[in-house]
């Protein structure tokens, strides 16, 4: 019997391909599941858009209205300043839609699957896949598209679709490979994982359960090799992925 040596690890591109397939599949399944809501939560919304001129005229120039869904209708409560509140019911019909906007602050915990670092001197473009985590705080914009669809039995059923976008800042902790090549040959250790603190800004796609974002940030390497690290406080680009804490 001939024993073949067991490979110590897969090539990096094999890991990246596998991670990409898993992430893509998860996102496609997640978008299908969380892109729709059974009902619109009652509350204050900013009236964003409608294709029904009668509804637009009824709401007027009021930016914020109270909306509550009741079966196949929306009930609006408008409270203009120094005026009598108005309440009316708007039946949902096929071909007509209402888009409402909800603005709020957002607090999330993210992982950063990878960081792409631009070339620095003799060091080419690097892809850092070490552990990275971040705490994100920003502004979230939830758009609710409310309309009605025709079922096979001839009845109309309200449907609510949602899309969330956000922007904000993040900070967190992570690690990166440190060796002589990235420290101008100044480190006294052949190779080790250094401890970094990162800060940056991100644009987020919020799907109510998971969040995906594009980020730009910079790292601060802690320890004696920090001043010699070629990526010290240099920008990197990456992807953020996490769960909504709200």
């Amino acid at each position: 019997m001939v024993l073949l040596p067991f490979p110590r690890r897969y090539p990096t591109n094999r890991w990246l391909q596998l991670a990409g397939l898993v992430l893509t599949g998860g996102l496609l399944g997640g978008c299908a599941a969380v892109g729709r809501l059974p009902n619109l939560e009652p509350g204050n919304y900013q009236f964003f858009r409608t294709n029904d001129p009668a509804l637009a005229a009824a709401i007027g120039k009021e930016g914020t209205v109270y909306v509550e869904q009741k079966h196949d209708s929306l009930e609006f409560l408008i409270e203009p300043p120094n005026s009598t509140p108005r309440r009316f019911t708007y039946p949902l019909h096929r071909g007509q839609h209402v888009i409402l906007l909800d603005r709020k602050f957002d607090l999330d915990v993210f992982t950063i699957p990878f960081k792409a670092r631009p070339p620095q001197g003799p060091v080419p473009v690097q892809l850092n896949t070490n552990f990275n985590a971040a705490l994100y705080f920003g502004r979230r914009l939830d758009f609710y598209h409310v309309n009605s669809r025709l079922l096979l039995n001839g009845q109309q059923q309200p449907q609510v679709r949602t899309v969330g976008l956000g922007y904000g800042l993040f900070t967190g902790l992570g690690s990166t490979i440190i060796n002589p090549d990235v420290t101008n040959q100044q480190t006294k250790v052949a190779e080790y994982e250094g401890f970094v603190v990162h800060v940056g800004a991100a644009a987020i796609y919020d799907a109510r359960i998971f969040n995906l974002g594009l980020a730009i940030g910079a790292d601060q390497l802690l320890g004696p090799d920090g001043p010699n690290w070629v990526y010290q406080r240099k920008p990197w680009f990456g992807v953020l992925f996490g769960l909504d804490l709200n």
Side-chain angles (χ1 to χ4, degrees):
M1 178 183 297
V2 178
L3 297 179
L4 298 178
F6 186 79
R8 297 178 60 184
R9 59 181 180 180
Y10 290 104
T12 302
N13 60 348
R14 179 87 50 92
W15 280 114
L16 293 177
Q17 292 173 1
L18 180 59
L21 291 175
V22 172
L23 181 60
T24 302
L27 292 180
L28 292 177
C31 288
V34 304
R36 298 179 184 271
L37 297 176
N39 291 288
L40 182 71
E41 292 291 333
N44 291 315
Y45 295 89
Q46 181 179 346
F47 181 75
F48 187 74
R49 186 183 302 168
T50 182
N51 63 345
D52 186 354
L55 177 60
I59 293 180
K61 297 182 179 180
E62 296 300 325
T64 302
V65 296
Y66 180 85
V67 185
E68 183 176 355
Q69 181 179 349
K70 294 188 175 180
H71 303 293
D72 58 351
S73 301
L74 295 179
E75 186 171 285
F76 290 88
L77 174 62
I78 303 176
E79 299 180 290
N82 304 321
S83 182
T84 303
R86 296 184 291 114
R87 185 186 297 269
F88 65 92
T89 299
Y90 177 74
L92 295 170
H93 298 292
R94 186 184 179 191
Q96 298 175 341
H97 67 261
V98 182
I99 301 179
L100 304 171
L101 171 61
D102 183 23
R103 301 173 184 265
K104 63 182 65 174
F105 289 105
D106 194 14
L107 178 65
D108 294 319
V109 173
F110 284 96
T111 60
I112 306 176
F114 65 85
K115 297 176 180 178
R117 303 184 187 276
Q120 298 293 334
V123 182
V125 176
Q126 296 292 308
L127 188 64
N128 181 197
T129 58
N130 295 63
F131 169 79
N132 287 277
L135 181 65
Y136 164 89
F137 181 75
R139 190 75 167 172
R140 185 172 73 190
L141 309 177
D142 287 313
F143 294 88
Y144 298 89
H145 185 283
V146 187
N147 64 351
S148 181
R149 63 177 179 174
L150 185 64
L151 302 179
L152 295 178
N153 58 9
Q155 296 182 349
Q156 294 193 54
Q157 181 185 64
Q159 64 175 358
V160 181
R161 290 175 292 173
T162 177
V163 173
L165 303 174
Y167 55 91
L169 304 175
F170 67 87
T171 183
L173 306 174
S175 65
T176 187
I177 297 297
I178 302 298
N179 55 44
D181 292 333
V182 296
T183 57
N184 295 313
Q185 308 300 321
Q186 297 300 312
T187 183
K188 297 180 181 180
V189 182
E191 183 175 288
Y192 70 97
E193 286 198 29
F195 188 64
V196 298
V197 177
H198 46 240
V199 296
I204 304 297
Y205 167 70
D206 189 341
R208 300 184 65 85
I209 294 179
F210 69 88
N211 298 282
L212 184 68
L214 298 177
I216 179 172
D219 288 351
Q220 172 81 30
L221 176 65
L222 304 181
D225 288 320
N228 299 316
W229 190 40
V230 297
Y231 299 116
Q232 187 81 321
R233 301 178 184 175
K234 299 295 178 62
W236 52 260
F237 303 91
V239 171
L240 281 70
F241 184 81
L243 300 177
D244 189 359
L245 296 182
N246 294 6

